Amino acid sequence: MSTVRCVRFTVLGEVSAEGSPRLRPKQRELLAALIVRIGHRVHAEQLAAELWDEPPASAVAGVHAHASRLRASLAKPDGSSPLHGGASGYSLEGYLDARDFEELFAQARGILLDGHFEDAVAHLERALDMWHGPAYGRLAARPFARAEAARLEELRRAAEDDLLTALVELGRADDALVRVAPLIASEPLRERLWAVRMIALARTGRQSEALADYRHLHRLLDAELGVLPDPALRDLHSRLVRQQPLRLAPVGRPPGPEHPTPRVHQGPVVRWADSGGTHIAYQVVGEGRRDVLYIPSYLSHLELHWQCPPYADFLRALGQNMRLIIMDKRGVGLSDRVQTADLSIRAADVRAVLDAVGSATATVFASSEGATSAVPFAVESPERLDSLILFG
């Protein structure tokens, strides 16, 4: 492994590079925007659009200037740097603390599912100790980091839930109560935390407090969301009342190299592009000099596509000699559930996906109703279109 590839970047807290001096705000933003697509080239124009809410005329020149300073800040004694690129765009090499966290968490969940609770606690505590603040820190709300920061925060919550589960299963109810209190204070609508607290209270002889917690949560959910507690929590309450054995609902398996999720889906990772506040789901398949954006027909789902072998083979074939980008249109699949948009907004969704993957120009291949997104894009952004293919 080369020296450059050993550079470690931190995103479980404020964005930083190990061994580098304090970065200026725009350099840190540039670093974060590249970390989100680590290993992929991002066009300078795209970076300019992301680093400034209203990019000035000199924004692209500013990207190059900040990239030059960032490259120098990240440089090793031998002059090598993990930041590559120039006029056309930039890419970053290195390793993320988030990857270590995900691998350790996946191992921990497998251990937990096998019933080895002491080992699971040790692994989960190590994984959670890697966090030093919210994912991507003060940059978490920036459009380029929002989806990835949210994904990591969900994994962090799952790791917290697993640690609490393991403590309860070990009979360490007091430890579970200490850990769950600040989590409930920060996220009072997170129902699994209340389940942990109710079981821990009951196992320390405080059943009346556990029942009072349920009543409190019932009122809170009704007032805030107009819903009842979920079925698992209602069942837990019923068991408390009847003084039956109590147990937390089982955990699932997160994706990871040691314990992969047992699903048919074997497609690439799903990411989301921000299109005026609406999140458009997309995937990238294969590599190549030519970018092809495939817009499916009326109904689509980026994960379910890969569960149909003939369709999965079709997508893999498209991605053999090119970089294939697949999107779910707004309102369907894994994209945000919103009302049908006018043609101009559909064109903006296509641009948002291409921007998110750093694609300056692409061939757009649309099937059936996908043409209602492809044709407006071709009309409004012809400079970004290599060619247009309409099928069916």
Side-chain angles (χ1 to χ4, degrees), residues 243-327:
Q243 297 188 351
Q244 295 174 333
L246 306 176
R247 187 163 188 174
L248 283 168
V251 297
R253 288 186 186 270
E258 297 296 326
H259 299 279
T261 305
R263 297 168 58 188
V264 176
H265 167 54
Q266 295 296 328
V269 66
V270 177
R271 298 188 184 279
W272 285 264
D274 186 284
S275 180
T278 296
H279 297 96
I280 307 299
Y282 69 90
Q283 292 173 317
V284 178
V285 183
E287 296 180 355
R289 294 183 178 181
R290 177 183 293 274
D291 285 346
V292 174
L293 173 68
Y294 175 54
I295 308 176
S297 56
Y298 182 65
L299 295 177
S300 66
H301 191 293
L302 292 180
E303 289 188 339
L304 295 181
H305 287 170
W306 300 93
Q307 297 185 24
C308 176
Y311 196 55
D313 290 344
F314 163 69
L315 295 176
R316 291 192 187 97
L318 282 178
Q320 279 185 350
N321 300 308
M322 60 194 73
R323 186 170 71 145
L324 175 66
I325 306 147
I326 316 165
M327 63 179 284

Side-chain angles (χ1 to χ4, degrees), residues 100-257:
D100 285 340
F101 165 73
E102 290 188 66
E103 290 176 8
L104 192 56
F105 173 35
Q107 293 170 19
R109 179 160 284 187
I111 294 168
L112 178 61
L113 288 169
D114 289 339
H116 303 300
F117 301 118
E118 286 281 6
D119 288 342
V121 167
H123 277 70
L124 289 163
E125 286 179 336
R126 282 176 56 204
L128 290 169
D129 284 345
M130 297 175 66
W131 287 74
H132 304 288
Y136 284 84
R138 287 166 288 185
L139 302 179
R142 299 289 287 165
F144 55 80
R146 188 180 301 147
E148 180 63 7
R151 184 186 73 85
L152 290 172
E153 288 293 341
E154 280 301 310
L155 288 178
R156 180 187 193 176
R157 292 185 184 95
E160 291 167 345
D161 289 348
D162 284 3
L163 176 57
L164 292 168
T165 298
L167 290 173
V168 168
E169 293 291 350
L170 283 171
R172 294 170 56 181
D174 288 333
D175 290 339
L177 287 171
V178 169
R179 282 186 173 272
V180 80
L183 298 177
I184 287 179
S186 62
E187 296 185 81
L189 299 179
R190 199 165 137 197
E191 292 177 78
R192 188 172 179 90
L193 298 179
W194 287 95
V196 168
R197 179 177 158 86
M198 288 165 63
I199 291 177
L201 286 170
R203 290 187 179 176
T204 54
R206 299 153 69 182
Q207 184 168 341
S208 60
E209 291 182 53
L211 292 170
D213 271 0
Y214 180 82
R215 292 192 294 271
H216 172 76
L217 177 61
H218 193 294
R219 290 192 297 269
L220 187 63
L221 289 171
D222 181 56
E224 295 290 332
L225 304 176
V227 299
L228 295 171
D230 69 28
L233 205 57
R234 296 202 300 272
D235 179 68
L236 175 59
H237 174 254
S238 177
R239 286 178 172 275
L240 270 171
V241 172
R242 294 181 173 87
Q243 297 188 351
Q244 295 174 333
L246 306 176
R247 187 163 188 174
L248 283 168
V251 297
R253 288 186 186 270

Side-chain angles (χ1 to χ4, degrees), residues 43 288-293 321-323 325 350 354 358-365 374 377-390:
H43 290 279
R289 294 183 178 181
R290 177 183 293 274
D291 285 346
V292 174
L293 173 68
N321 300 308
M322 60 194 73
R323 186 170 71 145
I325 306 147
V350 175
L354 293 178
S359 179
T361 60
T363 292
V364 176
F365 173 25
F377 170 76
V379 171
E380 294 189 13
S381 303
E383 75 284 355
R384 302 191 65 176
L385 189 73
D386 283 337
S387 56
L388 176 64
I389 304 169
L390 303 179

